[in-house]
Amino acid sequence: MASQALQEHGDYLTAALAKESPRFEIAHGEAILTLPREAIVRTLTLLRDDGNCLYKMLIDICGVDYPDRSERFEVVYNLLSLKHNRRIRVKVTTSEDTPVPSVSSV
């Protein structure tokens, strides 16, 4: 039942962010949204402000290095919605030479 609710939430997000071409998946019972790095500010703003989301708490930001990939780095944002008691992991990829836009304004 919980995974069905997560999938419905994912369907909502992919529709709301269709212009950003997100990919939604559920792995180990966790919602994961992967999108182009250029869309990170718009996406986190929607996740914070949309009434169906309300991810008001940034738990952490971390990085992962996959040396065999052309865009070898993933920047991962872990968010929490206290209102909906839901977590989401948002991922963007980048290379050594391409910065990810700052989300400090969000």
Side-chain angles (χ1 to χ4, degrees):
M1 191 71 159
S3 64
Q4 181 181 350
L6 276 181
Q7 188 58 55
E8 289 173 4
H9 185 57
D11 294 343
Y12 174 80
L13 291 173
T14 54
L17 295 164
K19 187 170 80 171
E20 314 302 347
S21 303
R23 188 180 83 234
F24 180 82
E25 63 183 305
I26 300 170
H28 307 288
E30 297 180 6
I32 302 170
L33 188 66
T34 305
L35 52 128
R37 69 183 154 272
E38 298 82 15
I40 192 63
V41 173
R42 290 185 302 273
T43 300
L44 291 184
T45 300
L46 177 122
L47 291 172
R48 179 193 65 195
D49 297 340
D50 185 283
N52 290 316
C53 301
L54 298 174
Y55 290 97
K56 302 276 186 178
M57 187 177 292
L58 173 64
I59 301 299
D60 63 14
I61 301 173
C62 57
V64 184
D65 184 3
Y66 296 98
D68 297 332
R69 294 183 184 175
S70 60
E71 289 202 337
R72 65 185 280 183
F73 299 107
E74 278 186 355
V75 180
V76 182
Y77 305 81
N78 292 300
L79 308 174
L80 171 64
S81 171
L82 293 170
K83 173 81 173 174
H84 299 291
N85 191 27
R86 193 166 40 214
R87 295 175 184 269
I88 192 166
R89 178 172 294 150
V90 180
K91 297 180 181 183
V92 297
T93 62
T94 193
S95 66
E96 298 170 344
D97 303 321
T98 309
V100 174
S102 173
V103 297
S104 63
S105 63
V106 182

